């Protein structure tokens, strides 16, 4: 399957999803990671959504430059911006505000 359509390894994702459904975390303990690159307008749009939602729910967030990390580049070069929640891939290309909020508060 093309890496463009690969969100994450299904077995790994289902294990993490089942675990996250059992353990409701405080949003202040969650970390959102934005993987992007300078000059990417979709990355700028994603950052605006992430900043807004994280400020509302109290989650922290970080930004990583795909051009500065060979492994991130290998994994996500066709998907940026990529959003991770607690290290697990949440979304790519477009970030939906309500979906991110649900992920951080459920």
């Amino acid at each position: 399957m093309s890496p463009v359509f690969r969100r994450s390894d299904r077995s790994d994702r289902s294990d993490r999803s089942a675990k996250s459904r059992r353990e409701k975390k405080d949003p202040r303990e969650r970390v959102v990671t934005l993987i992007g690159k300078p000059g990417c307008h979709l990355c700028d749009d994603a950052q605006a959504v992430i900043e807004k939602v994280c400020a509302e729910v109290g989650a922290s967030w970080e930004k990583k430059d795909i051009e500065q990390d060979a492994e991130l580049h290998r994994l996500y070069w066709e998907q940026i911006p990529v959003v991770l929640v607690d290290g697990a891939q949440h979304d790519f290309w477009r970030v939906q505000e309500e979906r991110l909020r649900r992920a951080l508060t459920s």
Side-chain angles (χ1 to χ4, degrees):
M1 176 176 272
S2 167
V4 171
F5 300 108
R6 182 196 77 241
R7 290 198 186 257
S8 66
D9 178 44
R10 289 191 186 278
S11 61
D12 186 39
R13 185 175 68 204
S14 60
D15 290 346
R16 280 183 289 195
S17 295
K19 184 178 179 182
S20 68
R21 282 193 299 271
R22 288 190 302 266
E23 301 172 11
K24 182 175 180 180
K25 283 187 168 182
D26 183 328
R28 294 169 295 181
E29 297 174 4
R30 312 299 296 264
V31 178
V32 177
T33 304
L34 171 62
I35 301 170
K37 69 178 186 176
C40 167
H41 73 282
L42 291 177
C43 301
D44 296 339
D45 294 347
Q47 182 173 333
V49 171
I50 291 167
E51 287 175 342
K52 178 181 178 184
V53 172
C54 286
E56 289 173 3
V57 302
S60 61
W61 74 278
E62 62 185 357
K63 186 175 182 179
K64 294 189 178 183
D65 183 349
I66 200 168
E67 294 178 339
Q68 303 300 316
D69 186 315
E71 182 63 11
L72 291 177
H73 187 271
R74 185 185 71 75
L75 290 171
Y76 302 118
W77 67 278
E78 287 186 327
Q79 296 179 354
I80 63 166
V82 175
V83 178
L84 310 178
V85 175
D86 296 333
Q89 188 169 347
H90 170 74
D91 233 335
F92 62 93
W93 294 334
R94 301 268 183 209
V95 181
Q96 297 175 358
E97 187 177 321
E98 190 54 42
R99 185 169 182 264
L100 179 58
R101 187 177 292 108
R102 267 194 319 270
L104 294 173
T105 58
S106 60

